[in-house]
Amino acid sequence: MTTTISAQELTRFCDEYLQASNFSDYCPNGLQVDAGVPISNIITGVTASQALIDTAIAQNAQAILVHHGYFWKGEPAPLVGMKGARIRSLMQNGISLIAYHLPLDAHPIIGNNAVLADELDLQIVGALYPHEKYPVGNIATTAPIRASDFAQKISDALCIAPLHINAGEKDRILTKIGICTGGAQDMIEQAYAMGCDAFVSGEISERTTHFAREMGIDYFAAGHHATERGGIRELGRVVQASLGIPTKFVDIFNPA
């Protein structure tokens, strides 16, 4: 007999596991689109793009679980254009959408930062912002490693060559590294203030280069998508192990 679960039950499980109610976020965490169909097959992915939806349709999934969903602050409300087409695809094919943003960044076991730290052989030792009860950025330590070797480690782990901004001292030794996946490049200033040798995030801005060079902190931009695959992939594994619903991670290539 096929095991099924409602979108509400799946959301309650994820809410509790990720402690979603503890976060003030830029988007609604949890159930964003309720198709009203019992769920027996789940697709997970980084972003609820049309390509991910099309894959879910092709694989007869009734739910998509993502890190980047919809309804961001400041986003126009009308369901038209690209967003309208996506939601129409979900509803017409009986697929619910569940999304978690900051709760999935911050989870101490399967969060994006935690998974990235594991992949890079780093030991998380504290919060990038010490006042945060549920930190979305972390400080980690590593056995002494040359910056060039650390860049190679990132490349090997994520299958993407990071953009490395050298702090000025050629191929210096790193031991204390700040981490915040995704679009957190401006947190380099906090990483510097906390005494980090380097900072790893996803994206880079023009200003990031100057800060790294002038203040003497290496920066590694490893891709917004690449640095945030880990959390949603691991959440899917937790869901399958805990609820018995087949769950598959689909990586829609994104070089950014």
Side-chain angles (χ1 to χ4, degrees), residues 96-180:
S96 296
L97 175 66
I98 302 169
Y100 293 95
H101 185 230
L102 294 182
L104 196 56
D105 288 320
H107 195 275
I109 300 173
I110 60 98
N112 287 320
N113 295 326
V115 174
L116 182 61
D118 286 344
E119 292 174 333
L120 299 180
D121 298 320
L122 303 177
Q123 179 67 44
I124 291 178
V125 295
L128 202 57
Y129 293 88
H131 67 277
E132 290 185 337
K133 186 176 180 180
Y134 303 98
V136 297
N138 295 102
I139 295 172
T141 58
T142 178
I145 185 171
R146 291 190 179 278
S148 60
D149 291 334
F150 187 65
Q152 185 60 52
K153 180 169 282 193
I154 294 173
S155 182
D156 292 342
L158 301 183
C159 299
I160 184 172
L163 175 59
H164 175 204
I165 305 301
N166 193 289
E169 181 183 338
K170 186 176 180 180
D171 209 15
R172 65 182 187 150
I173 301 297
L174 311 177
T175 61
K176 185 177 181 181
I177 298 173
I179 306 173
C180 190

Side-chain angles (χ1 to χ4, degrees), residues 22-155:
N22 292 318
F23 294 84
S24 176
D25 213 332
Y26 312 105
C27 62
N29 286 300
L31 185 59
Q32 292 189 343
V33 177
D34 182 5
V37 175
I39 297 167
S40 61
N41 185 22
I42 301 169
I43 290 295
T44 67
V46 177
T47 299
S49 63
Q50 188 65 52
L52 187 66
I53 296 170
D54 291 343
T55 301
I57 294 169
Q59 298 192 15
N60 194 32
Q62 299 83 35
I64 297 175
L65 187 58
V66 297
H67 180 48
H68 300 139
Y70 307 149
F71 312 113
W72 300 89
K73 287 182 180 178
E75 180 182 288
L79 301 182
V80 299
M82 182 177 70
K83 183 169 67 172
R86 290 173 171 181
I87 292 176
R88 186 163 57 249
S89 294
L90 292 170
M91 296 299 290
Q92 289 178 345
N93 290 280
I95 302 173
S96 296
L97 175 66
I98 302 169
Y100 293 95
H101 185 230
L102 294 182
L104 196 56
D105 288 320
H107 195 275
I109 300 173
I110 60 98
N112 287 320
N113 295 326
V115 174
L116 182 61
D118 286 344
E119 292 174 333
L120 299 180
D121 298 320
L122 303 177
Q123 179 67 44
I124 291 178
V125 295
L128 202 57
Y129 293 88
H131 67 277
E132 290 185 337
K133 186 176 180 180
Y134 303 98
V136 297
N138 295 102
I139 295 172
T141 58
T142 178
I145 185 171
R146 291 190 179 278
S148 60
D149 291 334
F150 187 65
Q152 185 60 52
K153 180 169 282 193
I154 294 173
S155 182

Side-chain angles (χ1 to χ4, degrees), residues 210-229:
H210 301 301
F211 187 91
R213 288 173 176 169
E214 294 175 32
M215 301 307 291
I217 177 171
D218 281 68
Y219 183 64
F220 300 87
H224 194 136
H225 177 87
T227 58
E228 297 197 325
R229 290 183 297 211

